[in-house]
Each structure stands twice: as structure tokens, then as C-alpha cells.
Amino acid sequence: MGLVGGLTGLVSGLLGTVVGLVSGVLRGVLALVLSLLATVLLIVAAVLCVTVLLLPLGIPLGAIALGMYGQAARLLMPGSTKLEQSIHRGEVALRDRSSRLRKRLPV
């Protein structure tokens, strides 16, 4: 059982590495395509904003393009959600401690 379990673990680890590598490459390609599309939309938005008559169309289109840049950046950094969660927990802990300190201090 020990040898079979070790081999199973080795194969599982190798497959996890390959899947992770392919997933990373696909995320990178998708982020590149998304950023190129956002660039085209931003250029179209700038042209629309130059013509004063089409300004109401250009501003939202520019906002959408900037949002697409943000999505592309999030695709490149998949671990950012854990980082954001830990920062949020730290902020909540600091707020709780500061409120407790304010209650103790005479005002």
C-alpha cells in the first residue's frame, strides 16, 4: 500500500502541476485578448468623445474599456482574492480595536 500510495501521490502532483501550468497560460492569453479589446474600445471612445455630439456614447464606452483593463489585470493575478481577504480582515480587526480603545479613553 505504501508504494502504491506514493506513486498515486506522485502522479497526482504531476497532473496538478500540468493543469496549473495550462490554466496559467490560458489566463495569460485571455488577459492579453481582453486588454487588446479594451484598447480598441478606448480608442473608439476617444474618437466619440472628440465629436461633441457623440460625447454621451463615448464616456460610458471609455468606462467599460477601463473596466475591461481591470478584469484583465485580475486574470493575471489569481491569488489576489486571498490577499484582499486578509487585508480586509486586518482592517476589521483594527477598527474593532480602535473602537474598544475609544470606549476606554475618557473623552
Side-chain angles (χ1 to χ4, degrees), residues 81-95:
T81 57
K82 290 182 182 179
L83 177 65
E84 290 171 356
Q85 288 174 359
S86 64
I87 289 173
H88 179 68
R89 276 184 271 149
E91 288 176 351
V92 169
L94 280 175
R95 267 190 243 126

Side-chain angles (χ1 to χ4, degrees), residues 56-94:
L57 294 176
I59 292 174
L61 194 63
I64 290 170
L66 292 177
M68 288 172 70
Y69 277 124
Q71 287 287 338
R74 275 186 233 114
L75 277 174
L76 289 177
M77 297 178 283
S80 66
T81 57
K82 290 182 182 179
L83 177 65
E84 290 171 356
Q85 288 174 359
S86 64
I87 289 173
H88 179 68
R89 276 184 271 149
E91 288 176 351
V92 169
L94 280 175

